[in-house]
Amino acid sequence: MPSNQVRRRLFITLLVGLFLFAGLLARLGYVQLVEGNWLNDKARDLWTRDIPFEGKRGRILDRKGEVLAYNISSPSVLAIPAQIEDPAKTARELAHILMAPEQNIYRQITKKQLIVRLQPYGRKISNERAQSILERRLPGIVVAEDNRRHYPQGSLAAHILGFAGIDNQGLAGLELVYDERLSGTRGHVSFGANAKGERLPGGVDRYTPPEDGMDLVLTLDKNIQAIVEREMDQAMAQHDPENVLAIAMDPDTGEILGMGSRPTFRPDNFRNVDPEVYNRNLPIWRTYEPGSTFKIITLAAALEENKVNMKEAFHDPGYVKVGGARLRCWKGGGHGSQTFLEVVENSCNPGFVNLGQRLGKEKLFEYIRKFGFGQKTGIDLNGEAKGILFKPKQVGPVELATTAFGQGVSVTPIQQVTAVAAAVNGGELMEPYLNKAWKDPETGEVLEKTKPNVKRQVVSEETSKKVRYALESVVARGTGRRAFIDGYRVGGKTGTAQKVGPDGRYLKNNHIVSFIGVAPSDDPELVVYVAVDNPKGVQFGGVVAAPIVRNIMYDSLRYMGVEKRKKQIPPEKIPTSQPIVTVPDLIGENVSRIRNSLYDTPLQVSGKGEVVINQAPKPGERVEKGTPIRIYLGDK
């Protein structure tokens, strides 16, 4: 072979060798410099075992810091099958402590897995059982720090709070809506192990601490929420309805101060409750014809468009004929001659039909939509309904007339509250909300605040003032008399809506009765809405729902420290009305003398002793004659 061919082949071989060597160096550099950390982590994963430690879920607090939901220690049992020396004995002892089937435990601890959670018997166990397991020092069995959700107030605000599952994941209510921010980050303890999972001798454990979730501060006030729920419970007992719902809101901000429904449930016991109870948050989910509470919207629209003067006369014969239909007033024979202010006081259907006709369908439905009906309010809860409105092409003379007094449209309670709040707060439609702020769980520092959101201006301040006066007149002289509170200038409107059956026809003797109240009328600080579904016996909003709203208003306004007003529309005296009297000062008096001098006043006595040390209502308050006075006894 010629020498030049030999040299050529040697040169090519050298180039190939250099190329391969360069490729090897490049690969080595890539593995070392680029993939080194990743490969190192993978290698560590092969000989490292992690025992998880759950971070605590953030607390849920009311607006004043009262705890409504938090996590408590509840350990869980884990098994490392490769380290278990005697599976049969281990299963037997665990089954005895956990009160679980032995075969179930044996099957889990012999799985070919690195770490096994003992489901469900070993999850969220008591500290006593955890201590019993630790004392036995069972090889391959680990008791890991874990926690579970606890609701210290029982069923209070259950539909708002919702609940969390066994893995501390939000499943309903605010727990679900804000699950990501409430959830903590898992930590762990790492230890070295061989390929079989056996702990390496001389290894050092490494601890990565968990991080807790953020604390959520609500707009709810625990005390107002308790007042609302107390009254709902009493309504269930007194009227035996299918359900009751209530909402209390600050009309100036849209903050929900209290909200709930009956029947209810305990969040930590939701598995034993019919899903229909906890899945249906009635104040935001339920839709129905609003009845006469909807007349507030028609009134506000007519006032804003200068279509009515409240002193103007109107004659009600007891019915009105529209498009061939005869629409009746609730009062047989009608109300006769009256002013439009009296039309509102008497909740006169023909009068509101007249207002609807003056507005016309385009203008009336424009205001209905501006007040937020037919769309979600945006409250930070899941499951909110939109309600149903007539489409413009469906609205004829009859549909216009019935809509004007609250029949033929379908709305939600939260829509009604936000709409009425806009009608009385100066005309601003607010977005209702529950999330007031987020706090750091360690320092308590406020990290984020929710600002009130004004959606739009619906009516003017002047119109709003006229609406407030009309609603106060309804309570003082009209159908809302049972909601009257001396000094607090309560305004409101009754509602009695016939329910629609599955066949689309109205049900007989089956109504949703409601009342929406506002106080004080000169500067509203509270709007309260209550609806009672099919109460047994009398089915009128003014008889059933108005007293419930009165009780919620009275206790809430006193708790809030709202000052009483001197200027108030005096209540109209009727045969069944009780005179207003001033509560005497009984503090320091002997109980025997009181019983002799106040023989016609109901007394409720608490405590032991002979001398009155406190009383409720307080001295000087004005109440209806016959209102019980609770006195608290003690010694001088």
Side-chain angles (χ1 to χ4, degrees):
M1 181 180 297
S3 60
N4 58 345
Q5 286 185 336
V6 173
R7 286 195 298 270
R8 188 181 299 115
R9 288 181 178 179
L10 288 174
F11 180 72
I12 292 173
T13 302
L14 178 62
L15 287 177
V16 172
L18 288 174
F19 179 77
L20 292 174
F21 184 70
L24 182 62
L25 285 176
R27 178 60 180 170
L28 182 61
Y30 177 79
V31 170
Q32 184 71 23
L33 300 176
V34 178
E35 293 189 332
N37 291 335
W38 180 80
L39 290 171
N40 189 51
D41 291 340
K42 285 291 184 182
R44 187 180 294 110
D45 288 343
L46 291 175
W47 54 264
T48 300
R49 302 293 181 265
D50 292 337
I51 299 174
F53 284 79
E54 298 292 340
K56 288 185 178 180
R57 191 172 178 83
R59 299 178 302 167
I60 300 179
L61 316 170
D62 87 332
R63 65 189 299 116
K64 294 187 176 178
E66 293 285 341
V67 181
L68 303 178
Y70 68 99
N71 278 31
I72 60 176
S73 177
S74 185
S76 290
V77 183
L78 287 75
I80 307 173
Q83 297 180 7
I84 297 176
E85 299 173 356
D86 189 343
K89 178 184 176 184
T90 301
R92 186 166 53 253
E93 294 204 33
L94 286 176
H96 175 72
I97 297 171
L98 299 176
M99 301 180 68
E102 187 175 328
Q103 286 301 318
N104 181 292
I105 300 297
Y106 182 84
R107 186 167 57 251
Q108 293 190 58
I109 66 175
T110 55
K111 287 181 177 180
K112 293 182 179 180
Q113 296 180 10
L114 297 178
I115 295 179
V116 177
R117 289 180 179 270
L118 299 188
Q119 303 273 17
Y121 304 100
R123 298 296 308 278
K124 318 287 185 181
I125 64 175
S126 66
N127 289 322
E128 291 74 18
R129 289 183 179 177
Q131 184 62 33
S132 182
I133 293 173
L134 288 172
E135 289 173 354
R136 281 165 172 74
R137 299 181 179 275
L138 300 171
I141 300 301
V142 178
V143 176
E145 178 65 28
D146 203 348
N147 50 76
R148 61 181 172 84
R149 206 61 164 161
H150 180 58
Y151 301 89
Q153 309 298 334
S155 62
L156 189 80
H159 285 95
I160 294 175
L161 298 176
F163 47 83
I166 193 169
D167 291 316
N168 278 331
Q169 76 279 28
L171 297 178
L174 293 174
E175 295 276 25
L176 174 60
V177 173
Y178 294 113
D179 181 56
E180 185 176 345
R181 303 188 75 173
L182 287 168
S183 296
T185 303
R186 179 180 291 179
H188 57 267
V189 171
S190 302
F191 64 89
N194 60 23
K196 294 181 179 180
E198 298 168 342
R199 183 185 289 269
L200 294 175
V204 178
D205 294 349
R206 291 185 296 110
Y207 176 61
T208 301
E211 292 184 9
D212 296 343
M214 289 192 290
D215 289 345
L216 172 60
V217 182
L218 303 184
T219 61
L220 283 186
D221 188 300
K222 190 192 80 169
N223 291 308
I224 294 177
Q225 181 71 26
I227 292 168
V228 168
E229 298 206 15
R230 179 199 70 199
E231 292 303 318
M232 288 193 296
D233 287 336
Q234 291 184 2
M236 290 293 289
Q238 182 177 353
H239 301 291
D240 190 26
E242 294 178 24
N243 54 70
V244 180
L245 61 88
I247 304 173
M249 188 174 84
D250 182 338
D252 290 330
T253 63
E255 292 180 321
I256 302 297
L257 303 176
M259 183 168 76
S261 61
R262 292 293 185 271
T264 188
F265 66 100
R266 287 183 62 99
D268 52 8
N269 193 34
F270 72 92
R271 293 179 181 84
N272 297 324
V273 179
D274 185 341
E276 287 193 359
V277 173
Y278 60 72
N279 278 335
R280 296 178 176 179
N281 191 348
L282 298 183
I284 67 167
W285 174 85
R286 183 76 186 273
T287 59
Y288 50 85
E289 292 186 356
S292 294
T293 54
F294 197 76
K295 293 174 180 175
I296 299 172
I297 308 307
T298 305
L299 173 65
L303 288 170
E304 183 71 8
E305 293 296 318
N306 295 314
K307 297 295 185 181
V308 65
N309 183 319
M310 300 304 285
K311 296 180 181 180
E312 181 183 348
F314 176 80
H315 182 75
D316 169 30
Y319 66 90
V320 59
K321 290 183 178 180
V322 180
R326 188 183 178 96
L327 305 177
R328 298 181 180 277
C329 186
W330 63 269
K331 183 179 181 181
H335 295 92
S337 181
Q338 57 188 335
T339 65
F340 266 98
L341 179 59
E342 291 172 324
V343 166
V344 180
E345 293 173 358
N346 298 327
S347 196
C348 175
N349 286 350
F352 279 92
V353 170
N354 184 273
L355 293 181
Q357 291 170 336
R358 294 184 185 189
L359 285 163
K361 74 173 185 179
E362 287 81 9
K363 189 59 69 174
L364 176 60
F365 276 85
E366 176 188 331
Y367 274 94
I368 288 173
R369 291 186 175 86
K370 284 173 68 176
F371 271 106
F373 294 103
Q375 57 195 280
K376 295 182 179 180
T377 64
I379 189 172
D380 45 341
L381 283 171
N382 54 341
E384 183 181 5
K386 293 171 61 176
I388 302 172
L389 300 179
F390 286 119
K391 295 180 180 178
K393 62 181 180 180
Q394 296 174 322
V395 180
V398 175
E399 289 75 19
L400 172 63
T402 59
T403 298
F405 59 80
Q407 186 174 309
V409 294
S410 178
V411 306
T412 64
I414 191 65
Q415 286 175 338
Q416 294 206 80
V417 172
T418 54
V420 172
V424 301
N425 71 3
E428 293 181 336
L429 183 68
M430 308 300 299
E431 182 176 79
Y433 64 99
L434 287 153
N435 172 5
K436 190 173 181 66
W438 290 98
K439 280 187 175 182
D440 185 292
E442 295 292 332
T443 65
E445 177 187 358
V446 176
L447 304 175
E448 182 182 315
K449 283 186 177 181
T450 303
K451 295 181 180 179
N453 179 29
V454 182
K455 287 187 171 183
R456 53 186 166 269
Q457 187 80 26
V458 184
V459 295
S460 66
E461 170 60 46
E462 182 181 356
T463 293
S464 182
K465 184 177 181 180
K466 292 176 181 178
V467 171
R468 293 197 300 267
Y469 181 84
L471 295 183
E472 184 180 358
S473 188
V474 169
V475 172
R477 301 188 289 239
T479 56
R481 291 185 184 93
R482 292 174 184 262
F484 183 85
I485 305 175
D486 184 69
Y488 279 120
R489 299 192 65 177
V490 176
K493 188 73 189 71
T494 57
T496 303
Q498 200 169 2
K499 290 167 62 178
V500 179
D503 58 356
R505 297 182 178 181
Y506 287 106
L507 301 174
K508 292 183 178 180
N509 299 319
N510 194 334
H511 299 78
I512 294 178
V513 299
S514 60
F515 189 86
I516 191 159
V518 179
S521 288
D522 59 320
D523 184 17
E525 295 192 38
L526 190 63
V527 173
V528 176
Y529 177 77
V530 168
V532 183
D533 186 350
N534 193 25
K536 303 303 180 287
V538 178
Q539 294 197 341
F540 290 103
V543 176
V544 176
I548 302 173
V549 171
R550 180 200 180 279
N551 293 340
I552 294 173
M553 284 274 194
Y554 181 63
D555 287 348
S556 297
L557 292 169
R558 291 174 61 205
Y559 163 73
M560 294 165 64
V562 175
E563 294 183 1
K564 286 191 173 184
R565 271 59 172 172
K566 294 182 179 179
K567 294 182 179 180
Q568 182 174 19
I569 299 176
E572 183 180 57
K573 293 183 179 181
I574 57 176
T576 58
S577 62
Q578 292 288 339
I580 303 297
V581 297
T582 302
V583 177
D585 186 356
L586 305 180
I587 297 176
E589 298 290 341
N590 186 279
V591 65
S592 300
R593 195 188 69 80
I594 292 173
R595 285 197 172 104
N596 292 331
S597 60
L598 297 179
Y599 58 87
D600 60 343
T601 301
L603 295 177
Q604 298 175 349
V605 181
S606 296
K608 296 180 180 180
E610 294 296 325
V611 177
V612 178
I613 58 174
N614 202 353
Q615 71 177 81
K618 296 295 184 183
E621 288 194 25
R622 289 170 55 80
V623 298
E624 288 186 355
K625 185 177 181 180
T627 299
I629 300 177
R630 178 173 290 277
I631 57 176
Y632 300 86
L633 302 181
D635 297 322
K636 287 185 178 179

